[in-house]
Amino acid sequence: MKLILTTEVSGLGAPGDIVEVKNGYGRNYLIPRQYAILWTRGAETQIASIKKARDAREIRDLGTAKEVAGQLGALKVKLKTKAGASGRLFGSITTGDIADAVKAAGGPTLDRRRIVIDNAIKTTGTHRVSVKLHPEVAAAVDIEVLAG
């Protein structure tokens, strides 16, 4: 089955890529969740618009990715949230919260889907998260979670 990806699918491809998958995987998983659409000749125009949007968001090349990684490594990111007396948070810190905190700290605008949290952040203190900027470049960012 030939499909056009509309979102990034781990291990398969990026938005706008044309992929060949087994019929059941496409019909039962990718298409119902709107991760992909059926490939047709008329869908070529959709591919172009999807790739334009992706190129606008994506970091252009390896040099730019390394530059952004340097900026992220130098940032002091602080995030205030509600916490109990023992330092345990009411809820947890999400990738969207981290992306907003990096932007507020003067860093670059990050796509929340590129932020990887190894263990759920549920306590105050300093936590390390990684950001996949480019297939070859990942940056580590220290997030200081404060009770507020």
Side-chain angles (χ1 to χ4, degrees), residues 9-89:
V9 179
S10 180
L12 195 57
D17 290 348
I18 299 172
V19 294
E20 187 81 28
V21 296
K22 300 234 178 183
N23 290 340
Y25 182 54
R27 189 175 54 247
N28 297 326
Y29 182 74
L30 295 174
I31 293 173
R33 288 177 174 78
Q34 297 178 349
Y35 294 155
I37 58 174
L38 284 172
W39 180 86
T40 61
R41 289 184 189 148
E44 294 293 329
T45 57
Q46 288 181 335
I47 291 174
S49 67
I50 290 171
K51 285 191 177 188
K52 280 183 188 177
R54 180 176 68 179
D55 289 343
R57 283 194 321 265
E58 205 170 87
I59 295 174
R60 294 282 177 205
D61 59 357
L62 186 61
T64 309
K66 287 182 180 179
E67 182 180 316
V68 171
Q71 291 174 358
L72 289 174
L75 276 181
K76 302 290 182 197
V77 180
K78 294 184 180 185
L79 191 60
K80 288 188 178 181
T81 187
K82 291 184 178 182
S86 64
R88 186 137 175 97
L89 301 182

